[in-house]
Each structure stands twice: as C-alpha cells, then as structure tokens.
Amino acid sequence: MTLKAILVSSIEAAASKAGLKLVSTTEGSDLNGQPTQVFHLGRPGLDDRRLQLELTEAFDFNKPHLLPEMAAHLAAEAKRLRNSRPDCYVTLGGLPLAFGKFQWPFHRSTSGADTYIVHGEINLADGGTHNLHAKVAASVTVTFAEIVPAMEQPYAESFVYNAIRKTVDFGQLEFLKSGNRQPVPVTTRFYSRWQKKFLFTETDDQERLRYLLSKVYWLSGVLGNGNAVWISDPRDAQYLNTTEQDLLRMAGHEAGEGLMTLDGEYAAATPQLMARAPEYEAARDAALNFTKPQFNESMRSGHANM
C-alpha cells in the first residue's frame, strides 16, 4: 500500500472507533509544497456538519506515543460535531469566534526565524454580516515544539486555538474587514513544565460561570437556534484551567437557576437567558473595542510634554 492509502485506511478506522464517518478525502499540500491529505469527518445522522483534518501524507500515528492522543482528538471531535456550529468558540471577554482556513500542519518559518508556523483565520461570529475577522500566524519555537508529540493538527489544535483566544483576551488581535496576517506567539508562558500541561488563564468559579453562560447564549441561543452545545469540552477546560467535570458541575447549577437546560454533557439556552441579550451584546462590544488600537488623545492634540 502507498503511504497515502495507509493513512486513509488508518484514519477511517480511527474515526469509526470515535463514532465518526469519513465523508471524503482530497489531496493537498502544505506551505512548503509537501503533500498532505485532507479528511472531512462527519457524524452519522448529522450530514450537514463537517470538521476538517489535514495531515502530512507520510504521517503515521499508529505508534504508542501518538495513537492515544489521536483517539482522544477524534472522540472530542465527535462530541463537538453535535454543536450547531462546531467551528465556534467564545472568549472570556464574551466574543463568539469562528475558527477556519487553518493550513495544517505547521511549516518552518521562511523568514529565517527558528520557529514553526501555522496560518489560519478567526471571524467574529455573532450572527451579523459585518465580516470582521483576523488573519493569524501562530508560531512556536523549535525548543517549544519538543514538548508536542507531533507538529500535526490533532496534537496542536487545542493549544493553538486557546493561545489565539488568550491573545484576543490580551487585546492583541484586531478584527478588521481586511488586513494583514497578525502574529500569535505560542510561548512557554502557556506551558508548565513542572505540571506538564498548558496553562492559559487562572479562573475562579464566578469567571467560569460567566463564561459558560456566555457560551450557551451565543452558541446555543444565537448561532444554534436553541440547540444544545457541548459543555464539558476539554478545549474549554484547558483554556479556563479547570476540568470537564467542573464545567458540568457549574452548568448543573445554572440549569437549576433556569438559565439553561442540561441533557448529559450538553446545555441549551432558555428564554430566561436569552432575555439577557443586551448584557451579552454589551460585553461583545466592549471586548471588540478592547482589541482596537487606543491612542493617547492628549498627545494627538500636542498637549503632552516631549
């Protein structure tokens, strides 16, 4: 069998074990021109939803140090595909974002820097038609890459997405109708070598509750037509430095308050939560404004001492 055939067969088998189906596969290439395979995965009964997986054509994940994480990635994708918008995530500041156009796997920088880079795009996904987005270039150093089992999508997507969300939280990505690609450095500040895990944001119960309500408002109520969204997403747990079980516990509390309905690991917005629309729209506007460059007006007017 060719390397391509072996990879397709392996993905089909692994996807099936995770409750996914391989819908289609096409040939691609990375930014260095190396051949890749692009897989479109779906869930039986959800024919209109797809998630894309792109791997180097010669990549072999059937190894003891690679297979468990690939299996975990596909299992999470199967649950995320039950969301009406499986491509969407929310930031702590209250911005709903759609992630897309990522060009996996990482490629070595062509500028001479000792880094690996992946390009992608995030769009403001609040149901509007404003087309505000940010093109991003997430980069990791060669040294930092040593902690990643493989520089391929299933092993890096979570921490890259969370680094982007954290960079938005810092106000360091601007959303525009057009613009140049903006850098997202994925540095060792996001990783604890002592705990051997990624750390993005220290949050308490109050912040996590606020996050969960914002997520359910946007992804269930606004973008999902009231359909439930996956609450115990490990990607969110990593972003908030908590556990999936803790997110479910807090969601159960809010369900008791009438702000969401809970069905296993999935939660849907209630009319009571949707009545808070002005609150979430104000948070979105404030978070979006925070990402815009701020100028010292007194200096602009020539009033500052030089």
Side-chain angles (χ1 to χ4, degrees):
M1 295 179 69
T2 64
L3 291 175
K4 180 178 81 171
I6 292 171
L7 180 59
V8 171
S9 177
S10 296
I11 284 294
E12 193 164 23
S16 179
K17 287 182 181 179
L20 293 167
K21 62 180 180 179
L22 177 58
V23 178
S24 64
T25 179
T26 57
E27 295 181 358
S29 62
D30 64 17
L31 288 183
N32 293 325
Q34 296 302 308
T36 65
Q37 282 295 306
V38 182
F39 303 94
H40 293 98
L41 305 172
R43 272 185 69 124
L46 295 175
D47 292 335
D48 59 334
R49 300 178 202 170
R50 299 284 183 270
L51 284 173
Q52 182 171 299
L53 176 66
E54 185 169 10
L55 299 169
T56 303
E57 187 176 89
F59 183 59
D60 178 14
F61 60 85
N62 286 303
K63 298 177 180 178
H65 70 294
L66 294 175
L67 185 57
E69 199 158 341
M70 172 65 86
H73 174 80
L74 293 174
E77 295 290 75
K79 292 185 175 183
R80 199 172 288 118
L81 265 171
R82 286 183 56 182
N83 294 348
S84 293
R85 289 290 304 272
D87 60 326
C88 289
Y89 302 83
V90 175
T91 70
L92 265 173
L95 284 178
L97 302 175
F99 286 66
K101 299 183 180 179
F102 277 78
Q103 298 170 287
W104 299 99
F106 282 93
H107 63 275
R108 290 295 292 265
S109 171
T110 57
S111 66
D114 200 18
T115 56
Y116 289 96
I117 295 174
V118 63
H119 290 168
E121 189 173 300
I122 53 174
N123 289 264
L124 181 63
D126 62 351
T129 57
H130 34 61
N131 195 33
L132 291 176
H133 66 281
K135 296 178 181 179
V136 298
S139 63
V140 302
T141 65
V142 172
T143 302
F144 184 77
E146 293 175 358
I147 67 174
V148 183
M151 298 302 287
E152 302 277 344
Q153 181 180 351
Y155 307 91
E157 187 175 76
S158 285
F159 73 74
V160 166
Y161 280 19
N162 284 337
I164 291 170
R165 282 199 278 184
K166 186 64 178 178
T167 305
V168 172
D169 291 336
F170 285 146
Q172 294 174 351
L173 283 177
E174 186 178 8
F175 291 84
L176 305 162
K177 292 188 177 181
S178 63
N180 296 325
R181 203 168 294 278
Q182 301 174 61
V184 176
V186 186
T187 67
T188 51
R189 65 178 175 172
F190 295 139
Y191 187 77
S192 169
R193 291 189 179 273
W194 177 62
Q195 299 181 62
K196 297 188 183 306
K197 70 174 187 177
F198 289 93
L199 298 171
F200 290 95
T201 305
E202 289 291 343
T203 56
D204 56 25
D205 271 7
Q206 183 178 3
E207 291 169 311
R208 293 167 193 165
L209 280 170
R210 187 169 64 247
Y211 172 85
L212 285 177
L213 290 172
S214 178
K215 173 177 178 172
V216 174
Y217 171 81
W218 286 112
L219 303 193
S220 168
V222 175
L223 300 177
N225 252 353
N227 295 317
V229 295
W230 188 26
I231 284 297
S232 53
D233 190 332
R235 197 162 286 177
D236 287 339
Q238 183 189 76
Y239 175 53
L240 301 170
N241 193 26
T242 187
T243 64
E244 298 99 290
Q245 294 74 21
D246 208 32
L247 293 176
L248 269 179
R249 173 184 64 81
M250 288 182 283
H253 173 78
E254 293 307 304
E257 297 292 322
L259 293 173
M260 62 178 76
T261 57
L262 199 59
D263 180 12
E265 297 181 18
Y266 296 81
T270 63
Q272 187 176 340
L273 178 62
M274 298 311 295
R276 296 186 177 185
E279 172 186 335
Y280 293 107
E281 290 170 2
R284 173 206 59 200
D285 292 345
L288 194 60
N289 186 60
F290 183 60
T291 68
K292 297 177 181 178
Q294 304 295 317
F295 298 97
N296 186 317
E297 293 300 326
S298 62
M299 289 186 66
R300 189 201 297 269
S301 302
H303 297 155
N305 292 325
M306 299 297 290

